[in-house]
Amino acid sequence: MKKLSVILSLPMLLFSCLKTEEQSTAFHKHLVVEGRIEKGRGAEVMLTLSKGFSESFTEEELQDIVVRWAKVSISDSENTEILTGRYNRDYPTRFLYTGSLIRGRAGESYTLTVEYGGGKWTAVTTVPSSTAQLSDISAEWVSDSLYRITADLIPETDEDSYMVECNIKGQGTYFRPALLGILSGQRQTDTRRITVNRPIDYTRITSYTTLFRERDTVNIRLLTMSGFGYEYWSMWENNIINSLNPIFPADSNLPTNISGSAAGIWCGYAARYYRVIPPAK
């Protein structure tokens, strides 16, 4: 049975309650949240129970830590919606809580509440008022079978940060963060040229390349997010990169805005979507 390292599996599992091995030998499971509400769209929430960085598990055992029976709700200043949980093979947990009645609005705040196993956790986030964009997107052949995507990132303000995500047409709807695609925009208003790298498939590290392949039609999602979003995702990416280097540890605690003993993130985003098709050779 194929074993998967926790740190190479799911973004929401990249958390350890052990700062160092010397501090404690006990590991206590707790709720881990990865939730989002996007401008113009309903909420999406994935829930798991945590595992330690040193633990490994099979793909089947991964499903044992997915939380499927929680009551998950979001509220704005006037309404509350209970999210519906259902199987979704495109997402890492294969189970997703979604909403459709309450949709993200620019500048509005939303409260997430999770009730499970006698516990209750909350978090608050705000959808950004501004939305960055990409322009002059180009795909350039690097070899006969690989190409590189570059684009100009155009911010609206100097207060937000950004994350570039991608998926490949025909390979599911879930967007993964592009490698080195978490960008701080604070105090920066100038347009800058960026490279959109291929997201890492955490179960196939040995075959990874930053370039896209010949038959890849790439869907790009540019997210505008808060400073906390940048703090969380940049540390998450740092753990991913360090996990590939045996010299450096990859057990840093991720920040969280979830109340109580839970971990993870509930974050508001403003997004723009793009599609890139490689040019004819």
Side-chain angles (χ1 to χ4, degrees):
M1 190 67 67
K2 184 176 180 181
K3 292 283 185 177
L4 301 177
S5 168
V6 172
I7 196 166
L8 300 180
S9 58
L10 307 179
M12 69 290 297
L13 293 178
L14 293 179
F15 182 94
S16 173
C17 68
L18 307 179
K19 292 186 178 180
T20 65
E21 186 176 352
E22 291 78 11
Q23 284 181 301
S24 174
T25 57
F27 181 84
H28 304 287
K29 290 186 182 297
H30 51 264
L31 186 71
V32 184
V33 179
E34 185 181 326
R36 58 181 293 126
I37 183 165
E38 184 182 313
K39 180 182 176 181
R41 295 175 181 253
E44 294 182 351
V45 178
M46 290 184 283
L47 300 176
T48 63
L49 298 176
S50 60
K51 289 179 75 77
F53 274 94
S54 61
E55 297 183 64
S56 63
F57 54 97
T58 65
E59 294 181 24
E60 288 75 14
E61 289 168 340
L62 166 61
Q63 295 306 304
D64 292 337
I65 62 172
V66 175
V67 176
R68 299 179 178 85
W69 306 109
K71 179 181 178 182
V72 183
S73 61
I74 63 167
S75 62
D76 54 21
S77 58
E78 299 178 353
N79 305 297
T80 298
E81 177 183 14
I82 298 176
L83 306 189
T84 301
R86 56 169 61 93
Y87 175 79
N88 189 319
R89 63 178 296 178
D90 290 343
Y91 283 70
T93 56
R94 302 182 190 173
F95 193 86
L96 184 66
Y97 295 88
T98 61
S100 59
L101 298 179
I102 296 179
R103 295 177 178 268
R105 293 177 294 179
E108 298 294 324
S109 296
Y110 300 88
T111 300
L112 171 72
T113 302
V114 178
E115 299 174 66
Y116 175 72
K120 184 176 181 179
W121 300 268
T122 62
V124 180
T125 192
T126 301
V127 174
S129 297
S130 61
T131 308
Q133 60 181 305
L134 298 177
S135 69
D136 194 22
I137 303 174
S138 62
E140 176 186 2
W141 290 103
V142 176
S143 69
D144 288 341
S145 61
L146 297 171
Y147 68 96
R148 176 184 294 114
I149 297 175
T150 58
D152 288 337
L153 172 62
I154 305 175
E156 280 193 10
T157 74
D158 63 352
E159 298 178 356
D160 298 310
S161 295
Y162 315 101
M163 180 161 61
V164 180
E165 299 180 316
C166 302
N167 69 31
I168 309 299
K169 182 182 178 183
Q171 297 183 16
T173 60
Y174 181 68
F175 283 82
R176 297 182 185 276
L179 185 67
L180 303 179
I182 294 94
L183 308 165
S184 175
Q186 295 191 3
R187 296 181 294 279
Q188 297 185 26
T189 57
D190 296 335
T191 297
R192 50 180 153 162
R193 195 72 179 168
I194 64 171
T195 298
V196 179
N197 293 315
R198 187 185 187 93
I200 293 179
D201 183 341
Y202 308 109
T203 64
R204 296 179 176 85
I205 297 298
T206 56
S207 62
Y208 176 74
T209 172
T210 59
L211 304 174
F212 293 93
R213 298 184 173 89
E214 181 177 13
R215 294 182 176 83
D216 291 344
T217 294
V218 183
N219 298 311
I220 299 173
R221 179 165 66 185
L222 174 64
L223 299 175
T224 301
M225 60 187 179
S226 65
F228 173 76
Y230 173 78
E231 181 184 2
Y232 179 92
W233 287 112
S234 60
M235 187 173 290
W236 171 84
E237 182 178 68
N238 184 64
N239 280 346
I240 286 292
I241 294 172
N242 285 346
S243 74
L244 307 181
N245 187 334
I247 297 175
F248 297 101
D251 61 353
S252 300
N253 281 352
L254 296 183
T256 183
N257 61 347
I258 313 296
S259 68
S261 59
I265 185 171
W266 165 241
C267 194
Y269 303 99
R272 292 186 189 269
Y273 290 79
Y274 306 87
R275 173 166 287 186
V276 179
I277 301 173
K281 296 179 183 178

